[in-house]
Structure formats: structure tokens, C-alpha cells
Coordinates of all heavy atoms in Angstrom, one line a residue:
M1 N -51.7 44.2 -66.4 CA -50.5 44.7 -67.2 C -49.7 45.6 -66.2 O -48.5 45.5 -66.2 CB -51.0 45.4 -68.4 CG -49.8 45.7 -69.4 SD -49.0 44.2 -69.9 CE -47.4 44.9 -70.4
K2 N -50.4 46.5 -65.5 CA -49.7 47.4 -64.6 C -48.8 46.6 -63.6 O -47.7 47.0 -63.2 CB -50.7 48.3 -63.9 CG -50.6 49.7 -64.4 CD -51.4 50.6 -63.5 CE -51.1 52.1 -63.9 NZ -52.2 53.0 -63.3
T3 N -49.5 45.5 -63.0 CA -48.8 44.8 -62.0 C -47.5 44.2 -62.6 O -46.5 44.2 -61.9 CB -49.7 43.6 -61.6 OG1 -51.0 44.0 -61.8 CG2 -49.4 43.2 -60.1
V4 N -47.6 43.7 -63.8 CA -46.4 43.1 -64.4 C -45.3 44.1 -64.5 O -44.1 43.9 -64.1 CB -46.7 42.6 -65.9 CG1 -45.5 42.1 -66.6 CG2 -47.7 41.5 -65.8
I5 N -45.6 45.4 -64.9 CA -44.6 46.4 -65.0 C -44.0 46.7 -63.6 O -42.8 46.8 -63.4 CB -45.2 47.7 -65.6 CG1 -45.5 47.4 -67.0 CG2 -44.2 48.9 -65.5 CD1 -46.4 48.5 -67.7
H6 N -44.9 46.7 -62.6 CA -44.5 47.0 -61.2 C -43.5 45.9 -60.7 O -42.5 46.2 -60.2 CB -45.7 47.1 -60.2 CG -46.2 48.4 -60.2 ND1 -47.5 48.7 -60.3 CD2 -45.6 49.6 -59.9 CE1 -47.7 50.0 -60.2 NE2 -46.5 50.6 -60.0
I7 N -43.9 44.7 -61.0 CA -43.0 43.6 -60.6 C -41.6 43.7 -61.3 O -40.6 43.6 -60.6 CB -43.6 42.2 -60.8 CG1 -44.8 42.0 -59.9 CG2 -42.6 41.1 -60.6 CD1 -45.7 40.8 -60.2
G8 N -41.7 44.0 -62.5 CA -40.5 44.2 -63.3 C -39.6 45.3 -62.7 O -38.4 45.1 -62.5
L9 N -40.2 46.4 -62.4 CA -39.4 47.5 -61.8 C -38.8 47.1 -60.4 O -37.7 47.4 -60.1 CB -40.3 48.7 -61.6 CG -40.6 49.6 -62.8 CD1 -41.6 50.7 -62.5 CD2 -39.3 50.1 -63.4
L10 N -39.6 46.3 -59.7 CA -39.1 45.9 -58.4 C -37.8 45.0 -58.6 O -36.8 45.2 -57.9 CB -40.2 45.1 -57.7 CG -40.1 44.9 -56.2 CD1 -40.3 46.3 -55.6 CD2 -41.1 43.9 -55.7
I11 N -37.9 44.1 -59.5 CA -36.8 43.2 -59.8 C -35.5 44.1 -60.2 O -34.5 43.9 -59.7 CB -37.1 42.2 -60.9 CG1 -38.1 41.2 -60.3 CG2 -35.8 41.4 -61.3 CD1 -38.7 40.3 -61.3
V12 N -35.8 45.0 -61.1 CA -34.7 45.8 -61.6 C -34.0 46.6 -60.5 O -32.8 46.6 -60.3 CB -35.1 46.8 -62.7 CG1 -34.1 47.8 -63.0 CG2 -35.5 46.0 -64.0
S13 N -34.9 47.2 -59.6 CA -34.3 48.0 -58.5 C -33.6 47.2 -57.5 O -32.6 47.6 -57.0 CB -35.4 48.9 -57.9 OG -36.4 48.2 -57.5
T14 N -34.1 45.9 -57.2 CA -33.4 45.1 -56.3 C -32.0 44.7 -56.9 O -31.0 44.7 -56.2 CB -34.2 43.7 -56.1 OG1 -35.5 44.0 -56.1 CG2 -33.8 43.1 -54.8
C15 N -32.0 44.4 -58.2 CA -30.7 44.1 -58.8 C -29.7 45.3 -58.7 O -28.5 45.1 -58.4 CB -30.9 43.7 -60.3 SG -31.7 42.2 -60.4
L16 N -30.2 46.5 -59.0 CA -29.3 47.6 -58.9 C -28.8 47.8 -57.5 O -27.6 48.1 -57.3 CB -30.1 48.9 -59.4 CG -30.3 49.0 -60.9 CD1 -31.2 50.2 -61.2 CD2 -29.0 49.0 -61.6
A17 N -29.6 47.7 -56.5 CA -29.2 47.8 -55.1 C -28.1 46.8 -54.8 O -27.1 47.1 -54.2 CB -30.4 47.6 -54.2
K18 N -28.3 45.6 -55.3 CA -27.3 44.5 -55.0 C -26.0 44.9 -55.7 O -24.9 44.7 -55.1 CB -27.8 43.2 -55.6 CG -28.6 42.4 -54.7 CD -28.9 41.0 -55.2 CE -29.7 40.2 -54.3 NZ -30.2 39.0 -54.9
A19 N -26.0 45.4 -56.9 CA -24.8 45.7 -57.6 C -24.0 46.8 -56.9 O -22.8 46.7 -56.9 CB -25.2 46.2 -59.0
Q20 N -24.7 47.7 -56.2 CA -24.0 48.7 -55.5 C -23.3 48.2 -54.3 O -22.3 48.7 -53.9 CB -25.0 49.8 -55.1 CG -25.2 50.8 -56.3 CD -26.4 51.6 -56.1 OE1 -27.1 51.5 -55.1 NE2 -26.7 52.4 -57.0
N21 N -23.8 47.1 -53.6 CA -23.1 46.5 -52.5 C -22.0 45.7 -52.8 O -21.3 45.1 -52.0 CB -24.1 45.6 -51.7 CG -25.2 46.5 -51.1 OD1 -25.0 47.6 -50.7 ND2 -26.4 45.9 -50.9
N22 N -21.8 45.5 -54.1 CA -20.9 44.5 -54.6 C -19.5 45.0 -54.6 O -19.1 45.7 -55.6 CB -21.4 44.4 -56.1 CG -21.1 43.1 -56.6 OD1 -20.4 42.3 -56.0 ND2 -21.5 42.9 -57.9
T23 N -18.7 44.8 -53.6 CA -17.4 45.4 -53.6 C -16.4 44.4 -54.2 O -16.5 43.2 -54.0 CB -17.0 45.7 -52.1 OG1 -17.0 44.5 -51.4 CG2 -17.9 46.7 -51.5
A24 N -15.3 45.0 -54.8 CA -14.3 44.1 -55.3 C -13.5 43.4 -54.2 O -13.0 42.3 -54.3 CB -13.3 45.0 -56.1
E25 N -13.5 44.0 -53.0 CA -12.9 43.5 -51.9 C -13.5 42.1 -51.5 O -12.8 41.1 -51.3 CB -13.0 44.5 -50.7 CG -12.0 44.3 -49.6 CD -10.6 44.2 -50.1 OE1 -10.1 44.9 -51.0 OE2 -9.9 43.2 -49.7
N26 N -14.8 42.1 -51.4 CA -15.5 40.8 -51.2 C -15.2 39.8 -52.2 O -15.0 38.6 -51.9 CB -17.0 41.2 -51.1 CG -17.9 40.0 -50.7 OD1 -17.4 39.1 -50.1 ND2 -19.1 40.1 -51.1
G27 N -15.2 40.2 -53.5 CA -14.9 39.3 -54.6 C -13.5 38.7 -54.5 O -13.3 37.6 -54.7
K28 N -12.5 39.5 -54.0 CA -11.2 39.1 -53.8 C -11.1 38.0 -52.8 O -10.5 36.9 -52.9 CB -10.3 40.3 -53.3 CG -8.9 39.9 -53.1 CD -8.1 41.2 -52.9 CE -6.6 41.0 -53.0 NZ -5.9 40.8 -51.8
D29 N -11.9 38.2 -51.7 CA -11.9 37.2 -50.6 C -12.5 35.8 -51.2 O -11.9 34.8 -50.9 CB -12.9 37.7 -49.6 CG -12.5 37.3 -48.2 OD1 -11.4 37.5 -47.8 OD2 -13.4 36.6 -47.6
I30 N -13.5 35.9 -51.9 CA -14.1 34.7 -52.5 C -13.1 34.0 -53.5 O -12.9 32.8 -53.4 CB -15.4 35.0 -53.3 CG1 -16.5 35.6 -52.3 CG2 -16.0 33.8 -54.0 CD1 -17.7 36.3 -53.0
F31 N -12.5 34.9 -54.3 CA -11.5 34.3 -55.2 C -10.4 33.6 -54.5 O -10.0 32.5 -54.9 CB -10.9 35.5 -56.1 CG -10.0 35.0 -57.2 CD1 -10.6 34.6 -58.4 CD2 -8.7 34.9 -57.0 CE1 -9.8 34.1 -59.4 CE2 -7.8 34.4 -58.0 CZ -8.4 34.0 -59.2
E32 N -9.9 34.2 -53.4 CA -8.8 33.5 -52.7 C -9.2 32.2 -52.1 O -8.4 31.3 -52.1 CB -8.2 34.5 -51.6 CG -7.3 35.6 -52.3 CD -7.0 36.7 -51.3 OE1 -7.4 36.7 -50.2 OE2 -6.2 37.6 -51.8
H33 N -10.4 32.1 -51.7 CA -10.9 30.9 -51.1 C -11.3 29.8 -52.1 O -11.1 28.6 -51.8 CB -12.0 31.2 -50.1 CG -11.5 31.8 -48.8 ND1 -11.5 33.2 -48.6 CD2 -10.8 31.3 -47.8 CE1 -10.9 33.5 -47.5 NE2 -10.5 32.4 -46.9
K34 N -11.9 30.2 -53.1 CA -12.6 29.2 -54.0 C -12.0 29.1 -55.4 O -12.2 28.1 -56.0 CB -14.1 29.6 -54.2 CG -14.8 30.1 -53.0 CD -15.8 29.1 -52.5 CE -16.6 29.6 -51.4 NZ -16.6 28.8 -50.3
C35 N -11.2 30.0 -55.9 CA -10.8 30.0 -57.3 C -9.3 29.9 -57.4 O -8.8 29.4 -58.4 CB -11.3 31.3 -58.0 SG -12.9 31.8 -57.4
Q36 N -8.6 30.4 -56.4 CA -7.1 30.5 -56.5 C -6.4 29.2 -56.8 O -5.4 29.2 -57.5 CB -6.6 31.2 -55.3 CG -5.3 31.7 -55.4 CD -5.0 32.7 -54.2 OE1 -5.7 33.6 -53.9 NE2 -3.9 32.4 -53.4
R37 N -6.9 28.1 -56.2 CA -6.2 26.9 -56.3 C -6.1 26.4 -57.8 O -5.1 25.8 -58.1 CB -6.8 25.8 -55.4 CG -8.2 25.4 -55.8 CD -8.8 24.5 -54.7 NE -10.2 24.7 -54.6 CZ -11.1 23.7 -55.1 NH1 -10.6 22.7 -55.7 NH2 -12.4 23.9 -55.1
C38 N -7.0 26.7 -58.6 CA -6.9 26.4 -60.0 C -6.4 27.6 -60.8 O -5.6 27.4 -61.7 CB -8.2 26.0 -60.6 SG -8.8 24.4 -59.9
H39 N -6.9 28.8 -60.5 CA -6.6 29.9 -61.4 C -5.3 30.7 -60.9 O -4.8 31.5 -61.7 CB -7.8 30.9 -61.5 CG -8.9 30.3 -62.3 ND1 -8.9 30.3 -63.7 CD2 -10.1 29.7 -61.9 CE1 -10.0 29.8 -64.1 NE2 -10.7 29.4 -63.1
G40 N -4.9 30.5 -59.7 CA -3.7 31.2 -59.2 C -4.1 32.6 -58.7 O -5.1 33.2 -59.2
S41 N -3.3 33.2 -57.8 CA -3.7 34.5 -57.2 C -3.7 35.6 -58.3 O -4.4 36.5 -58.2 CB -2.7 34.9 -56.1 OG -1.4 34.9 -56.6
D42 N -2.9 35.4 -59.4 CA -2.9 36.4 -60.4 C -3.7 36.0 -61.6 O -3.7 36.7 -62.6 CB -1.5 36.8 -60.8 CG -0.7 35.6 -61.4 OD1 -1.3 34.5 -61.4 OD2 0.4 35.8 -61.9
G43 N -4.4 34.8 -61.5 CA -5.2 34.4 -62.6 C -4.6 33.5 -63.7 O -5.2 33.1 -64.7
T44 N -3.2 33.3 -63.5 CA -2.5 32.6 -64.6 C -2.1 31.1 -64.3 O -1.4 30.5 -65.2 CB -1.2 33.4 -64.9 OG1 -0.4 33.3 -63.8 CG2 -1.5 34.8 -65.3
K45 N -2.5 30.6 -63.2 CA -1.9 29.3 -62.8 C -2.3 28.1 -63.8 O -1.5 27.3 -64.1 CB -2.4 28.9 -61.4 CG -1.8 27.7 -60.8 CD -2.2 27.6 -59.4 CE -1.7 26.2 -58.8 NZ -2.2 26.1 -57.4
G46 N -3.6 28.1 -64.2 CA -4.0 27.2 -65.2 C -4.0 25.7 -64.8 O -3.9 24.8 -65.7
L47 N -4.3 25.4 -63.5 CA -4.4 24.0 -63.1 C -5.6 23.4 -63.7 O -6.7 24.0 -63.8 CB -4.5 24.0 -61.6 CG -4.5 22.6 -60.9 CD1 -3.1 22.0 -61.0 CD2 -4.8 22.7 -59.4
F48 N -5.5 22.1 -64.2 CA -6.6 21.4 -64.9 C -7.0 22.1 -66.1 O -8.2 22.0 -66.5 CB -7.8 21.1 -64.0 CG -7.5 20.5 -62.7 CD1 -7.9 21.0 -61.5 CD2 -6.8 19.3 -62.6 CE1 -7.6 20.4 -60.2 CE2 -6.5 18.6 -61.4 CZ -6.9 19.2 -60.2
G49 N -6.2 22.9 -66.7 CA -6.6 23.6 -67.9 C -7.4 24.9 -67.7 O -8.1 25.3 -68.5
A50 N -7.3 25.4 -66.4 CA -8.1 26.6 -66.1 C -7.6 27.7 -67.0 O -6.4 27.9 -67.2 CB -7.9 26.9 -64.6
K51 N -8.6 28.5 -67.4 CA -8.3 29.6 -68.4 C -7.5 30.7 -67.7 O -7.7 30.9 -66.5 CB -9.6 30.2 -68.9 CG -10.3 29.3 -69.9 CD -9.7 29.5 -71.3 CE -9.9 28.3 -72.3 NZ -11.3 28.1 -72.7
N52 N -6.6 31.3 -68.4 CA -5.8 32.5 -67.9 C -6.8 33.6 -67.8 O -7.3 34.1 -68.8 CB -4.7 32.8 -68.9 CG -3.8 33.9 -68.4 OD1 -4.2 34.7 -67.6 ND2 -2.6 33.9 -68.9
L53 N -7.0 34.1 -66.6 CA -8.0 35.2 -66.4 C -7.5 36.5 -66.8 O -8.2 37.5 -66.9 CB -8.5 35.1 -64.9 CG -9.2 33.9 -64.5 CD1 -9.7 33.9 -63.1 CD2 -10.5 33.5 -65.4
Q54 N -6.1 36.6 -66.9 CA -5.6 37.9 -67.4 C -5.8 38.2 -68.8 O -6.0 39.3 -69.3 CB -4.1 38.0 -67.1 CG -3.7 38.1 -65.7 CD -2.2 38.3 -65.5 OE1 -1.4 38.5 -66.4 NE2 -1.8 38.3 -64.2
T55 N -5.9 37.1 -69.6 CA -6.1 37.3 -71.0 C -7.6 37.0 -71.4 O -7.9 37.2 -72.6 CB -5.2 36.3 -71.9 OG1 -5.5 35.0 -71.4 CG2 -3.7 36.7 -71.6
S56 N -8.4 36.6 -70.5 CA -9.8 36.4 -70.8 C -10.5 37.7 -71.2 O -10.3 38.7 -70.6 CB -10.5 35.8 -69.5 OG -11.9 35.7 -69.7
R57 N -11.3 37.6 -72.2 CA -12.0 38.8 -72.7 C -13.5 38.6 -72.7 O -14.2 39.2 -73.5 CB -11.5 39.2 -74.1 CG -10.1 39.8 -74.1 CD -9.9 41.1 -73.3 NE -8.6 41.6 -73.2 CZ -7.8 41.3 -72.2 NH1 -8.2 40.6 -71.2 NH2 -6.5 41.8 -72.2
L58 N -14.0 37.7 -71.8 CA -15.4 37.5 -71.8 C -16.2 38.6 -71.3 O -15.8 39.4 -70.5 CB -15.7 36.2 -71.0 CG -15.2 34.9 -71.4 CD1 -15.6 33.8 -70.4 CD2 -15.7 34.5 -72.8
E59 N -17.5 38.7 -71.8 CA -18.4 39.7 -71.3 C -18.9 39.3 -69.9 O -18.9 38.1 -69.6 CB -19.7 39.8 -72.2 CG -19.4 40.1 -73.6 CD -19.1 41.6 -73.8 OE1 -19.6 42.4 -73.0 OE2 -18.3 41.9 -74.7
N60 N -19.4 40.3 -69.1 CA -19.9 40.0 -67.8 C -20.9 38.9 -67.7 O -20.8 38.0 -66.9 CB -20.5 41.3 -67.3 CG -20.3 41.4 -65.8 OD1 -19.2 41.0 -65.3 ND2 -21.2 42.0 -65.1
M61 N -21.9 38.9 -68.7 CA -22.9 37.9 -68.7 C -22.3 36.5 -68.8 O -22.8 35.5 -68.2 CB -23.9 38.1 -69.8 CG -24.9 39.3 -69.6 SD -25.7 39.2 -68.0 CE -26.7 37.8 -68.2
E62 N -21.3 36.4 -69.7 CA -20.7 35.1 -70.0 C -19.9 34.6 -68.7 O -19.9 33.4 -68.4 CB -19.7 35.1 -71.2 CG -20.4 35.3 -72.5 CD -19.4 35.6 -73.6 OE1 -18.8 36.7 -73.6 OE2 -19.2 34.7 -74.4
I63 N -19.2 35.5 -68.1 CA -18.4 35.2 -66.9 C -19.4 34.7 -65.9 O -19.1 33.6 -65.3 CB -17.7 36.4 -66.4 CG1 -16.7 36.9 -67.4 CG2 -17.0 36.1 -65.0 CD1 -16.0 38.2 -67.0
I64 N -20.5 35.4 -65.6 CA -21.4 35.0 -64.6 C -22.0 33.6 -65.0 O -22.2 32.7 -64.1 CB -22.5 36.1 -64.4 CG1 -21.8 37.2 -63.8 CG2 -23.7 35.6 -63.7 CD1 -22.7 38.4 -63.5
S65 N -22.3 33.4 -66.2 CA -22.9 32.1 -66.6 C -21.9 31.0 -66.4 O -22.2 29.9 -65.9 CB -23.4 32.2 -68.1 OG -23.2 31.0 -68.7
I66 N -20.6 31.2 -66.7 CA -19.6 30.1 -66.6 C -19.3 29.8 -65.1 O -19.3 28.7 -64.7 CB -18.3 30.5 -67.3 CG1 -18.5 30.4 -68.8 CG2 -17.1 29.5 -66.9 CD1 -17.3 31.0 -69.6
I67 N -19.3 30.9 -64.3 CA -19.1 30.7 -62.8 C -20.3 29.9 -62.3 O -20.2 29.0 -61.5 CB -18.9 32.0 -62.1 CG1 -17.6 32.7 -62.6 CG2 -18.8 31.8 -60.6 CD1 -17.5 34.1 -62.0
S68 N -21.5 30.3 -62.7 CA -22.7 29.6 -62.2 C -22.8 28.2 -62.6 O -23.1 27.3 -61.8 CB -24.0 30.4 -62.6 OG -23.9 31.8 -62.3
K69 N -22.7 28.0 -63.9 CA -23.0 26.6 -64.5 C -21.8 25.8 -64.7 O -21.9 24.6 -65.0 CB -23.7 26.8 -65.9 CG -24.9 27.8 -65.9 CD -26.2 27.1 -65.5 CE -27.3 28.0 -65.5 NZ -28.2 27.7 -64.4
G70 N -20.6 26.4 -64.6 CA -19.4 25.6 -64.9 C -19.2 25.3 -66.4 O -20.1 25.6 -67.2
R71 N -18.0 24.8 -66.7 CA -17.8 24.5 -68.1 C -16.5 23.5 -68.1 O -15.5 23.9 -67.6 CB -17.5 25.7 -69.0 CG -17.8 25.6 -70.4 CD -17.5 26.9 -71.2 NE -16.1 27.2 -71.1 CZ -15.6 28.4 -71.6 NH1 -16.4 29.3 -72.1 NH2 -14.3 28.7 -71.5
R72 N -16.7 22.3 -68.7 CA -15.6 21.3 -68.6 C -15.0 21.2 -67.3 O -15.6 20.9 -66.3 CB -14.6 21.6 -69.8 CG -15.3 21.3 -71.1 CD -14.3 21.5 -72.2 NE -14.2 22.9 -72.5 CZ -13.8 23.4 -73.7 NH1 -13.5 22.6 -74.7 NH2 -13.7 24.7 -73.9
G73 N -13.7 21.6 -67.1 CA -13.0 21.4 -65.9 C -13.3 22.5 -64.8 O -12.9 22.4 -63.7
M74 N -14.1 23.5 -65.2 CA -14.5 24.5 -64.3 C -15.7 24.1 -63.5 O -16.8 23.8 -64.1 CB -14.8 25.8 -65.2 CG -15.5 26.9 -64.5 SD -14.4 27.8 -63.3 CE -15.7 28.9 -62.7
P75 N -15.6 24.1 -62.2 CA -16.8 23.6 -61.4 C -17.9 24.6 -61.5 O -17.7 25.8 -61.8 CB -16.2 23.6 -60.0 CG -14.8 23.9 -60.0 CD -14.5 24.5 -61.4
R76 N -19.2 24.2 -61.2 CA -20.3 25.1 -61.1 C -20.5 25.6 -59.7 O -20.3 24.8 -58.7 CB -21.6 24.4 -61.6 CG -22.0 23.2 -60.9 CD -23.1 22.4 -61.6 NE -24.2 23.3 -61.9 CZ -25.2 22.9 -62.7 NH1 -25.1 21.8 -63.3 NH2 -26.2 23.7 -62.9
W77 N -20.8 26.8 -59.5 CA -20.8 27.5 -58.2 C -22.2 27.9 -57.8 O -22.4 28.4 -56.7 CB -19.9 28.7 -58.2 CG -18.4 28.2 -58.4 CD1 -17.8 28.2 -59.5 CD2 -17.5 27.7 -57.4 NE1 -16.5 27.7 -59.3 CE2 -16.3 27.4 -58.0 CE3 -17.7 27.5 -56.0 CZ2 -15.2 26.9 -57.3 CZ3 -16.6 27.0 -55.3 CH2 -15.4 26.7 -56.0
E78 N -23.2 27.7 -58.6 CA -24.5 28.3 -58.3 C -25.1 27.8 -57.0 O -25.9 28.5 -56.4 CB -25.5 28.2 -59.5 CG -25.8 26.7 -59.8 CD -26.6 26.6 -61.1 OE1 -27.1 27.6 -61.7 OE2 -26.8 25.4 -61.6
K79 N -24.7 26.6 -56.6 CA -25.3 26.1 -55.3 C -24.4 26.5 -54.1 O -24.8 26.4 -53.0 CB -25.3 24.5 -55.4 CG -26.2 24.0 -56.5 CD -27.2 23.0 -56.0 CE -28.3 22.7 -57.0 NZ -27.8 22.2 -58.3
R80 N -23.2 26.9 -54.4 CA -22.3 27.3 -53.3 C -22.1 28.8 -53.1 O -21.6 29.2 -52.0 CB -20.9 26.6 -53.5 CG -21.0 25.1 -53.2 CD -19.8 24.3 -53.6 NE -19.7 24.1 -55.0 CZ -18.6 23.6 -55.6 NH1 -17.6 23.2 -54.9 NH2 -18.6 23.4 -56.9
L81 N -22.4 29.5 -54.1 CA -22.2 31.0 -54.0 C -23.6 31.6 -54.3 O -24.3 31.2 -55.2 CB -21.2 31.5 -54.9 CG -19.7 31.1 -54.7 CD1 -18.9 31.6 -55.9 CD2 -19.2 31.7 -53.4
S82 N -23.9 32.7 -53.6 CA -25.1 33.5 -53.9 C -24.9 34.3 -55.2 O -23.8 34.5 -55.6 CB -25.5 34.4 -52.7 OG -24.6 35.5 -52.8
P83 N -26.0 34.7 -55.8 CA -25.9 35.5 -57.1 C -25.0 36.7 -56.8 O -24.2 37.1 -57.6 CB -27.3 35.9 -57.4 CG -28.2 34.8 -56.8 CD -27.4 34.4 -55.5
T84 N -25.2 37.3 -55.6 CA -24.4 38.5 -55.3 C -22.9 38.2 -55.2 O -22.0 38.9 -55.6 CB -24.8 39.1 -53.9 OG1 -26.2 39.1 -53.9 CG2 -24.3 40.5 -53.7
E85 N -22.6 37.0 -54.6 CA -21.2 36.6 -54.5 C -20.6 36.3 -55.8 O -19.4 36.7 -56.1 CB -21.1 35.3 -53.6 CG -21.3 35.7 -52.1 CD -21.4 34.4 -51.2 OE1 -22.0 33.4 -51.7 OE2 -20.9 34.4 -50.1
I86 N -21.4 35.7 -56.7 CA -20.9 35.4 -58.1 C -20.6 36.7 -58.8 O -19.6 36.9 -59.4 CB -21.9 34.5 -58.8 CG1 -22.0 33.1 -58.2 CG2 -21.6 34.4 -60.3 CD1 -22.9 32.2 -58.8
E87 N -21.5 37.7 -58.6 CA -21.2 39.0 -59.2 C -20.0 39.7 -58.7 O -19.2 40.3 -59.4 CB -22.4 40.0 -59.0 CG -23.5 39.9 -60.0 CD -24.6 40.8 -59.6 OE1 -24.4 42.0 -59.4 OE2 -25.8 40.4 -59.5
S88 N -19.8 39.6 -57.4 CA -18.6 40.2 -56.8 C -17.3 39.6 -57.3 O -16.4 40.2 -57.6 CB -18.6 40.0 -55.3 OG -19.7 40.4 -54.7
V89 N -17.3 38.2 -57.4 CA -16.1 37.5 -57.8 C -15.9 37.8 -59.3 O -14.8 38.0 -59.8 CB -16.1 36.0 -57.4 CG1 -17.0 35.2 -58.3 CG2 -14.7 35.5 -57.4
A90 N -17.0 38.0 -60.1 CA -16.9 38.3 -61.5 C -16.2 39.7 -61.7 O -15.4 39.9 -62.5 CB -18.2 38.2 -62.2
T91 N -16.7 40.6 -60.8 CA -16.1 42.0 -60.8 C -14.6 41.9 -60.5 O -13.8 42.5 -61.1 CB -16.8 42.9 -59.8 OG1 -18.2 42.8 -60.0 CG2 -16.4 44.3 -59.9
Y92 N -14.3 41.1 -59.5 CA -12.9 41.0 -59.1 C -12.0 40.4 -60.2 O -10.9 41.0 -60.4 CB -12.8 40.2 -57.8 CG -11.3 40.0 -57.4 CD1 -10.6 41.1 -56.9 CD2 -10.7 38.8 -57.6 CE1 -9.2 41.0 -56.7 CE2 -9.3 38.7 -57.3 CZ -8.6 39.8 -56.9 OH -7.3 39.6 -56.6
I93 N -12.4 39.3 -60.8 CA -11.5 38.7 -61.8 C -11.2 39.6 -62.9 O -10.2 39.6 -63.6 CB -12.0 37.3 -62.3 CG1 -13.3 37.3 -62.9 CG2 -11.9 36.3 -61.1 CD1 -13.7 36.0 -63.5
K94 N -12.1 40.6 -63.2 CA -11.9 41.5 -64.3 C -10.8 42.5 -63.9 O -10.1 43.0 -64.8 CB -13.1 42.3 -64.7 CG -14.0 41.3 -65.5 CD -15.2 42.1 -66.2 CE -16.2 42.4 -65.2 NZ -17.3 43.2 -65.7
T95 N -10.5 42.7 -62.6 CA -9.4 43.6 -62.2 C -8.1 42.9 -62.4 O -7.0 43.5 -62.3 CB -9.6 44.0 -60.7 OG1 -9.3 42.8 -59.9 CG2 -10.9 44.6 -60.4
L96 N -8.1 41.6 -62.6 CA -6.8 40.8 -62.9 C -6.3 41.0 -64.3 O -5.2 40.7 -64.6 CB -7.0 39.3 -62.6 CG -7.4 38.9 -61.2 CD1 -7.7 37.4 -61.2 CD2 -6.3 39.2 -60.2
R97 N -7.2 41.5 -65.2 CA -6.9 41.6 -66.6 C -5.8 42.6 -66.8 O -5.7 43.6 -66.2 CB -8.1 42.0 -67.4 CG -9.2 40.9 -67.4 CD -10.4 41.3 -68.2 NE -11.3 40.2 -68.3 CZ -12.4 40.2 -68.9 NH1 -12.8 41.3 -69.6 NH2 -13.3 39.2 -68.9
K98 N -4.9 42.2 -67.8 CA -3.8 43.1 -68.1 C -4.2 44.0 -69.4 O -4.9 43.5 -70.2 CB -2.6 42.3 -68.5 CG -2.0 41.6 -67.2 CD -1.2 42.6 -66.4 CE -0.7 42.2 -65.1 NZ -1.0 42.0 -63.9
Ligands
HEC101 C1 -11.1 22.9 -60.1 C2 -10.4 24.0 -60.7 C3 -11.1 25.3 -60.9 C4 -11.6 26.1 -59.9 C5 -11.7 25.8 -58.4 C6 -12.2 27.3 -60.5 N1 -12.0 27.2 -61.9 FE1 -12.5 28.6 -63.3 N2 -11.9 27.4 -64.8 C7 -11.3 26.1 -64.6 C8 -11.1 25.5 -65.9 C9 -10.5 24.1 -66.1 C10 -11.6 26.4 -66.9 C11 -11.6 26.2 -68.4 C12 -13.0 25.7 -68.8 C13 -13.1 25.4 -70.3 O1 -12.1 24.8 -70.8 O2 -14.1 25.7 -70.9 C14 -12.0 27.6 -66.1 C15 -12.6 28.7 -66.7 C16 -13.0 29.8 -66.0 C17 -13.5 31.0 -66.7 C18 -13.7 31.3 -68.2 C19 -12.5 32.1 -68.7 C20 -12.5 32.2 -70.2 O3 -12.0 33.2 -70.7 O4 -13.0 31.3 -70.9 C21 -13.8 31.9 -65.7 C22 -14.4 33.3 -65.8 C23 -13.5 31.2 -64.4 N3 -13.0 30.0 -64.7 C24 -13.7 31.8 -63.2 C25 -13.6 31.1 -62.0 C26 -14.0 31.6 -60.7 C27 -14.5 33.0 -60.4 C28 -13.8 30.6 -59.8 C29 -14.1 30.7 -58.3 C30 -15.5 30.9 -57.9 C31 -13.2 29.5 -60.5 N4 -13.1 29.8 -61.8 C32 -12.8 28.3 -59.9 C33 -11.0 25.5 -63.4 C34 -11.4 26.0 -62.1

């Protein structure tokens, strides 16, 4: 039982450490390279029915899940971006909100 708790703590602390390295700047870079062609630099382009990211009000977990797994016209990125990169880009797109 103790080991389970230890492993749990280890996972939590690794996640926290990752979250701290997660800069919006890095997320912007990823966005410009991978997301902008459909979503536009300000999030409103809407190519192929891409959602307007300025008016999106999804929770962090949902954003991460949609970026990872995709949804309809939205490609899945879990094989092309690391979990840290997905978190950075999720952080960045929230800065586009009005
Ligand atoms: C090939 C075009 C395309 C690319 C590239 C693309 N998306 Fe999307 N995205 C879409 C489409 C289309 C939807 C709407 C999906 C639906 O109808 O459920 C969407 C939806 C989303 C949503 C959900 C918004 C909401 O409020 O429902 C998020 C978040 C998102 N995209 C983020 C990203 C990020 C981050 C990237 C880059 C890693 C990206 N997208 C790259 C087409 C794209």
C-alpha cells in the first residue's frame, strides 16, 4: 500500500514539474506551426469547420483531450506532440480568448 502511495506522489510531482516548464511562448510556437492553418493566428479562421478558439469555453481537461484524440475535422495530435507540448499549446490557446 505504501509503495502505491509513493508511486502516486512521484507521478503527481513529475506532472507539477512539467507544468512549471510549460511556457506560453512554447505553446505559441507549436500553435503557429501546427494549428494556425485551420484555426488562424487569432483562433477565428474556422477552416474545415474549425472551432473559434476565442469563443471556446472548454475546460482544460477537455481541451487536452480534444487536442490529443481529435474530434471530427480536428486531427489527433497524441502521436505528434508530447504531453508537455499538448499542455503548452492548450495554455496558449486560452490566451486567445476574448
Ligand atoms: C485540419 C484542420 C485543423 C488543425 C490543423 C487543427 N484543428 Fe483544432 N479543430 C478543427 C476542427 C474542424 C474543429 C471542430 C471539431 C468539432 O466539430 O468537433 C477543431 C476544434 C478544436 C478545439 C475544440 C474547441 C471547442 O470549443 O470545441 C480545440 C481546443 C482545438 N481545435 C485546438 C487545436 C490545436 C491546439 C491545434 C494544433 C495542435 C489544432 N486545433 C489544429 C480543425 C483543426
